[in-house]
Each structure stands twice: as structure tokens, then as C-alpha cells.
Amino acid sequence: MADVVEQSSDPPIEPSGGGSTGLRARFRRYRELDLTEEELATVLLFPVVMFLLTVSFYPIVDTVWGSLHTGYVLEHETKQFVGLQNYEQILNSGRFWNALTVSLIYTFVSVPIELVIGIGMALLLNRAFKGKYFIQAAILFPWALPTVINARIWAWMFHGEYGVINDMLVKIGILESPYPFLAVPDAALASMLFVTIWKTSSFMALIMLAGLSGIPSHLYEAARMDGASKWRQFRDITLPLLKPTILVALIFRTLPAFQAFGLPYGLTGGGPAEATTTLVLYDHKLTFNSLAFGRGSAAATIITLIALLIALIYVGTLYEPEVS
Amino acid sequence: MSTKSRSFEIESFQFVGKKVGFYGSLLILVLVSMFPVIWIFLTSIKQPGSIVQFPVQYLPQNPTLENYRVALGNAPFFRYLINSAIVAGGTAILDVFLGAIAGYALSRLRFRFKLHVLLLILGTAMLPFISRLIPLFSLARSWGLLNNYLGLIIPYAAFQLPFAVWIFQAYFKELPDSLEEAGLMDGLSRIGVLFRIILPVSAPAMATTAIIVFIYAWNEFLFALTFMSQDSMRTITVGIALYGGQFETPWGTISAAVFTSIIPLMLFMLFFQRKVVEGLTAGTGKA
């Protein structure tokens, strides 16, 4: 190891005078490592590709394979081939359909709202002002907050008897007395949506900010000269040029939202009456509480297929090969 | 003259109004963003009795550190923090290294099947984590990696690798060709160029990758919960999620524990916020 370090600290050009033979020999060895681009690419990508094949692709295949078997997580050897029986059970289970509904509502209500709020925040932040970085750090903070810790904080704020949200709503006059937000199915789902929108809008804002900074300012100058209103400028310049960014943001956010786990786990534990049990939480319970390996794998495979479908739909409808 | 000065007055009034509106909205944004943390802090220094009362007591009377004493005394709290730091740090180091070499190959070398490799790497980003949980759990169990730092570092690194590769290849694409040509002319091999010229100038990409991967690994919950069943191996997120009684939740001590765990994060965001922003925006602006 020391040898390598020493070697790499040699000057790249062979000293013309007084170079020791040891140095020259080492330098030659170094030259012998010269590879073609193709070989070098193979050397550099081999570990990465192997790593991904082992840790990302093999498990997917194994999950699909496992979904065709029955057995328990901790007793791998008792697996028995059962064909599509696990899928049949999952698709006939009301709990699966409930979880799917919860996940779809969660994803397709929260992400569009986050996007709109994020664009608004980005438009507000897209200028130079004093203390910009401090304020950005504060605004970005919800995104960096661990989801499950965030969930615990909001569980306390939404508390049915002593929660500060209740107190504020009572003081404003919206509520007459504390409301048990997390104990009523619809209210619990709405609360969960509120928390995730609160947390993730800042992340959306950040991505939108990057997109905004890529729009050349002379377009706005020209529009202003033509007397275009702010709204026209937004509709005809900002929005169309922001489209690629919006696509990236939607994919970035939709797939994680579809896999929500920490928030329902920490906020409500999936309750009440499974009103906030998302697909991943359902699958996790199925796998690790019931230890049903086969059905857990079948559910995971279904989740994967839906996620890929969502990604394909997004890319298919929103992706336009760039003109430039 | 008078109309002119009046229009000037109106304009300056509008100007001030706009400024007030702008800074007012910023203030509201900051307050809304930080309120839960402020609230947790206020709860954490309240007397146990005044935590559970309605109407809510906003500012604590007789603030106390008792909750902190209980929270930090009972749970292996610092152990959780150290576990998280090791896992997140290890993941960040692994991904910076793998992301840099793969990003270099994909952005600056010509070779066959480049598109396929790129699609393979980025395609894994689309796959749900749950679809890898059960097999990786079995693998980790048979390799003795449950309740082991590597048991989390390896999957985390794999899951964030597409992101790391993306950041690096976007960064390397912007570098001028002359940089490599100069190195080759000076007699360096291509590997020499990579390690002695390209990697040293890629410090910004390394920093952003490291920070964002670190935050991901610090915050991850699904795998951390499943793979670390032993209390002494838990990460901070799992430690806090499982903290507290089953039936009666001790909100005062939980608040103290939560606030303590957030302090490093707040400092981190304050110091590295620019890097985070640069990193998140690197791939999106120039799609």
C-alpha cells in the first residue's frame, strides 16, 4: 500500500538528469498499466456492474422466484413451489386493495400539490437577497429531517388531546374542541398527506430552482419589452422551459412516495383501521410479522410492476427529445 | 410636477410594499419550515405536567433539563448516533469511490455497450426498495451481516449508486478535454490521468455526492429497522422510532431525544446547504 502511495507521488515526467534507476524502473511499471479506452472502461465499470448485479438485480430476480413459492422467511429450505397461488391470495385480499388505494391516494394527491407549492417557493427564492443561504438552509431543513423522526414529531403535534395543531385550530375558531386527527380514518390519511407535503415541497422547490436558473434571462427581457404580463411570462416562458425539470421532479418524487414506509410507521402505525397502511407497510407487516415469505415476495413483485408502470407512463407522456 | 412626484410616491410605496410582501412570505416560509423543530424543543424543556395540558402552554414556565437527563440516560442514545455515523459515513465513502470511477468511464471514455451499462445503472434507481428487502435479508443472514454495519452499508451504497454515478458523469462531462490531453502528453497513463488529474479536480462532485448519500443513509428506515434487531446496533432513526412505551408515550423524553438527534443535522444543513443545493441541481438543470 505504501508503495502505491509513493509511486503515485512521483513526478509524471521522468527527470532528465540524475534520475535513479529505481525511479526509472518504477516509472516504467507505471507506463505498462497503460490501457486502451475500452479496457480501462471495463476495469472501471466491472466492480460497479458486479456490485449492482449482486445487490440490486439478483434480489429482484430472487423476489420474483420466491413469489412462486411458499414458506417462511427464516426457513428458506422449506420453500415449496406453488405457482401463482401467492398472487391469487394477494389479489383476493381486501387488505392488499386497501393498501394499494392508500398508496395511490397518498402518491397522486401529495406529489402534484408538492409540485405546485415547490414552483411557487422557487419563484419566490429565485433572486438574490440578503441571507439567502441561511433562509434556504431553514427551508430545506424539512427535507433533510429523517422521515420517521419527522413522523414522531407530527404525531405529537397532531395529538388528539394535547396537540398544538388542535390548540391553534381551536384558538382560530375552526374547531370548537380538540379533534382526534390520527384516530379517525379519513382525518389520519389527510394528516399524513399534510405532513408529507410539508416535508417534501422544499425538495421540489430546490429542483425547480435549478430548472429556473437554466432559463436565459434575455427571454424575460424580450417578453417585458413586448409588454407581456407576469402571468403571460410564466405561462409562455417559465412553464414550457421548466417541463424537463418537472419531469425529473415527478419521477424523483412519485416513486419514493409510492414506497412510503417511515411516515405511516411513525405517525399512525398504519392505523386507524388500516386507513394509512401503505403498500410497503402492508408488505413489511406481511413479511416480517406473519413471516409469509411467498406472499410477501408476491406483494413486492406487484409493487415493483406498478412502480415500473408509473415510471414508463411518465417518461412516455412527458419526455421529449431535446431540440438543442 | 405634482403628478410626477405623486407617481414617484406611488411607485416607491409599491416598491416598499413589494419588499414587505417578499420578506414577509420568506418569514412565513421559514417559520412554517422550522415550527415542528421549535415545538419539539419547547416541549423538551417543559415540566412533565405542563406537557399534557389543554389549552397548550406555548412558552415553558420553569424550563427544565429533566427530559434530557431521562432520554440520554436511559437509551443507548450516543451508541445510536455513532452507529448512524459509521453506516452513513461508510456508505458515502463507498459511493464516492464507485460513483467517481463509473462516472468517469461513462462520461469520458468510448466503449461498446455504453448505453446498456448506463441504462443498467440508472434503471436500478427505478426499482422499489421493498423488492430487494427479503432476498437481501436472507443474504445478510447467511453471510452473518445482520446486526453488522456492512449489512446496511452495502445495500445503501447500491441503492444510491445510480445517483452518485449521475452526479459524477454530469460533472465530468463539463471538464475540458485539454485536461486529459495535457496529462497524456506529460506521459501519464489513462489511469494516471484519472487518479492524478481528474479525481483531484472533482472534489466538488465528491462533496455533493458524499453529503447527499450521507443524508440518505442517516435517514433510511426500512432496512435499518429490518437488519438491525440488536438494540446496540440500531441507528438513530430506528432508535427514536422504537423509543417510548407501547401504551403511554412519554412525549417529554421523546422530544428531548428527537431534538438532540436533530442538532447535528441542523449544523450540517447550515454548513453544507450550498453543497446540497448544488448536488441536487447538478443533474436536473442540464438534462
Side-chain angles (χ1 to χ4, degrees):
Chain A
M1 193 62 212
D3 191 46
V4 176
V5 171
E6 198 188 326
Q7 207 174 35
S8 63
S9 62
D10 285 342
I13 305 171
E14 198 179 353
S16 47
S20 70
T21 48
L23 190 69
R24 199 168 300 152
R26 251 185 285 155
F27 185 68
R28 203 170 300 127
R29 241 189 298 150
Y30 194 60
R31 283 302 305 253
E32 278 159 17
L33 274 176
D34 220 341
L35 305 166
T36 67
E37 282 193 30
E38 181 104 24
E39 287 163 348
L40 180 61
T42 311
V43 169
L44 294 179
L45 286 169
F46 185 76
V48 174
V49 170
M50 285 315 291
F51 189 55
L52 284 180
L53 286 178
T54 325
V55 189
S56 273
F57 276 92
Y58 157 74
I60 301 263
V61 176
D62 195 54
T63 294
V64 176
W65 182 242
S67 72
L68 304 174
H69 292 74
T70 184
Y72 295 94
V73 176
L74 298 176
E75 300 158 35
H76 227 91
E77 49 286 348
T78 63
K79 281 200 297 189
Q80 259 188 330
F81 187 81
V82 290
L84 294 175
Q85 195 186 303
N86 289 318
Y87 289 92
E88 211 185 309
Q89 284 184 6
I90 293 284
L91 294 175
N92 280 324
S93 143
R95 302 178 67 192
F96 166 78
W97 291 104
N98 173 67
L100 178 64
T101 314
V102 170
S103 274
L104 289 176
I105 293 174
Y106 177 82
T107 307
F108 290 104
V109 172
S110 69
V111 174
I113 297 177
E114 285 163 14
L115 181 70
V116 173
I117 297 178
I119 291 177
M121 282 165 72
L123 290 172
L124 188 70
L125 291 171
N126 189 31
R127 63 181 94 180
F129 55 88
K130 238 187 254 170
K132 178 169 181 166
Y133 284 107
F134 187 77
I135 285 170
Q136 270 188 11
I139 290 174
L140 199 55
F141 181 74
W143 166 75
L145 197 60
T147 305
V148 71
I149 291 179
N150 181 39
R152 300 257 17 210
I153 297 177
W154 283 92
W156 168 233
M157 302 207 339
F158 272 122
H159 195 280
E161 285 166 78
Y162 315 114
V164 66
I165 306 274
N166 266 316
D167 190 79
M168 290 194 294
L169 291 178
V170 168
K171 285 215 167 86
I172 298 170
I174 294 176
L175 288 180
E176 261 181 29
S177 57
Y179 186 79
F181 288 101
L182 301 180
V184 177
D186 285 346
L189 183 57
S191 307
M192 188 166 84
L193 282 165
F194 181 85
V195 174
T196 195
I197 291 167
W198 173 82
K199 180 171 162 58
T200 323
S201 293
S202 61
F203 177 76
M204 281 290 194
L206 207 74
I207 297 179
M208 293 303 136
L209 213 50
L212 288 179
S213 69
I215 300 176
S217 57
H218 66 81
L219 290 179
Y220 293 105
E221 280 153 31
R224 234 172 297 150
M225 297 241 270
D226 292 345
S229 66
K230 282 266 179 207
W231 168 246
R232 278 292 304 266
Q233 291 178 30
F234 176 73
R235 203 190 63 192
D236 293 342
I237 301 173
T238 313
L239 220 45
L241 288 175
L242 216 50
K243 215 173 147 186
T245 316
I246 291 175
L247 168 68
V248 171
L250 285 177
I251 292 183
F252 262 157
R253 275 309 307 151
T254 304
L255 294 178
F258 192 66
Q259 302 177 53
F261 176 73
L263 181 55
Y265 187 100
L267 191 67
T268 54
E274 304 211 357
T276 55
T277 299
T278 56
L279 272 178
V280 173
L281 184 54
Y282 159 78
D283 195 3
H284 193 269
K285 282 183 188 167
L286 191 64
T287 310
F288 290 97
N289 294 359
S290 319
L291 293 176
F293 172 84
R295 275 185 294 148
S297 299
T301 307
I302 294 172
I303 295 171
T304 307
L305 289 175
I306 301 173
L308 290 178
L309 188 70
I310 292 173
L312 277 177
I313 291 173
Y314 268 140
V315 174
T317 50
L318 290 165
Y319 179 75
E320 288 164 6
E322 268 188 82
V323 192
S324 59
Chain B
M1 183 68 198
S2 76
T3 53
K4 203 175 179 185
S5 80
R6 186 183 292 162
S7 86
F8 177 75
E9 260 172 40
I10 290 171
E11 264 172 37
S12 66
F13 185 71
Q14 278 179 336
F15 179 71
V16 171
K18 266 187 187 170
K19 266 214 134 143
V20 169
F22 173 66
Y23 282 104
S25 342
L26 281 186
L27 184 70
I28 291 171
L29 262 184
V30 170
L31 269 182
V32 171
S33 300
M34 295 307 285
F35 182 73
V37 179
I38 297 168
W39 191 244
I40 276 295
F41 172 68
L42 290 176
T43 305
S44 73
I45 55 171
K46 279 181 195 166
Q47 300 285 352
S50 56
I51 289 173
V52 282
Q53 70 176 46
F54 201 87
V56 166
Q57 185 190 95
Y58 278 79
L59 290 176
Q61 286 149 358
N62 307 320
T64 170
L65 289 177
E66 176 63 14
N67 293 319
Y68 285 87
R69 200 186 59 76
V70 176
L72 306 185
N74 282 356
F77 201 76
F78 293 102
R79 183 76 217 192
Y80 297 156
L81 283 173
I82 291 168
N83 291 342
S84 277
I86 292 172
V87 168
T91 308
I93 291 168
L94 196 57
D95 265 353
V96 163
F97 179 70
L98 292 175
I101 60 174
Y104 176 78
L106 289 167
S107 63
R108 298 186 79 86
L109 297 177
R110 272 166 300 147
F111 58 94
R112 276 173 296 165
F113 307 121
K114 186 183 199 161
L115 190 65
H116 301 93
V117 174
L118 191 66
L119 285 177
L120 178 105
I121 292 175
L122 296 182
T124 59
M126 305 270 174
L127 300 169
F129 300 135
I130 186 84
S131 65
R132 289 166 272 187
L133 181 67
I134 302 170
L136 287 176
F137 180 79
S138 308
L139 273 186
R141 204 168 61 95
S142 53
W143 291 349
L145 292 180
L146 292 181
N147 293 309
N148 182 314
Y149 296 126
L150 278 179
L152 288 183
I153 291 174
I154 291 170
Y156 289 173
F159 299 161
Q160 292 297 297
L161 191 55
F163 168 79
V165 170
W166 184 256
I167 293 283
F168 275 103
Q169 68 97 30
Y171 182 82
F172 288 146
K173 258 188 194 157
E174 305 280 299
L175 293 181
D177 288 342
S178 55
L179 216 58
E180 276 160 308
E181 279 157 18
L184 291 172
M185 297 253 262
D186 282 350
L188 283 178
S189 68
R190 287 212 74 117
I191 287 192
V193 169
L194 171 59
F195 280 95
R196 298 175 67 172
I197 297 180
I198 301 289
L199 289 188
V201 301
S202 70
M206 288 181 178
T208 52
T209 305
I211 288 165
I212 290 168
V213 170
F214 188 95
I215 290 183
Y216 164 83
W218 184 273
N219 293 358
E220 206 280 339
F221 181 61
L222 177 61
F223 281 71
L225 174 72
T226 314
F227 284 25
M228 301 297 214
S229 53
Q230 210 174 301
D231 190 40
S232 66
M233 289 304 290
R234 279 183 189 145
T235 59
I236 187 70
T237 52
V238 178
I240 282 183
L242 302 181
Y243 193 97
Q246 190 90 46
F247 300 104
E248 203 173 316
T249 319
W251 289 108
T253 43
I254 287 184
S255 300
V258 165
F259 189 73
T260 313
S261 80
I262 290 174
I263 294 171
L265 189 71
M266 285 200 287
L267 295 175
F268 196 84
M269 286 305 287
L270 209 54
F271 289 118
F272 293 116
Q273 181 271 143
R274 277 180 97 142
K275 285 283 166 206
V276 173
V277 175
E278 281 168 17
L280 287 174
T281 54
T284 51
K286 35 189 184 250

